Amino acid sequence: MTGVEPGRLTDQQLMKELETIHRTRHDTLLYGSNDALRAHNGRMAQLEGEYLRRHPRRLIAASRTRDGARIREMAVRELGTAEHQGADPAR
């Protein structure tokens, strides 16, 4: 594994590393070799694990939970139904 051990990074360095690895994730998944993807997975797990270790009480947005997703889905369905009911039948 390459890179500085996550526990030795400052908070600012850790955030920069996380931003970089998340930004490169899609391309690594689509175009990277199996070895590159394995290394990326390992490094991402290390960095994310360190972040979670440092921030065990991080803010969790209700909209990012399963219940929040269900509420969002219902709202979209209800909006679609309301728009459909108000549609001009001549169209």
Side-chain angles (χ1 to χ4, degrees):
M1 189 65 50
T2 60
V4 176
E5 182 181 324
R8 297 181 64 192
L9 297 170
T10 65
D11 285 346
Q12 185 177 0
Q13 290 169 326
L14 178 61
M15 289 307 296
K16 184 175 167 105
E17 290 283 325
L18 282 165
E19 289 168 4
T20 298
I21 204 155
H22 287 132
R23 188 176 56 250
T24 60
R25 179 64 182 171
H26 191 72
D27 283 345
T28 304
L29 176 64
L30 294 179
Y31 309 114
S33 67
N34 288 340
D35 286 342
L37 186 57
R38 212 172 355 267
H40 202 275
N41 288 343
R43 182 65 174 168
M44 188 163 27
Q46 286 180 334
L47 293 169
E48 289 178 347
E50 180 62 21
Y51 179 84
L52 293 173
R53 186 189 69 74
R54 291 183 191 187
H55 303 281
R57 295 178 177 264
R58 72 193 192 288
L59 178 65
I60 298 174
S63 63
R64 301 294 299 181
T65 64
R66 283 187 182 187
D67 286 341
R70 288 184 187 114
I71 291 168
R72 215 173 29 252
E73 186 178 299
M74 281 192 311
V76 168
R77 265 190 266 144
E78 288 174 7
L79 178 62
T81 301
E83 287 177 352
H84 181 69
Q85 289 173 350
D88 183 356
R91 282 191 189 172

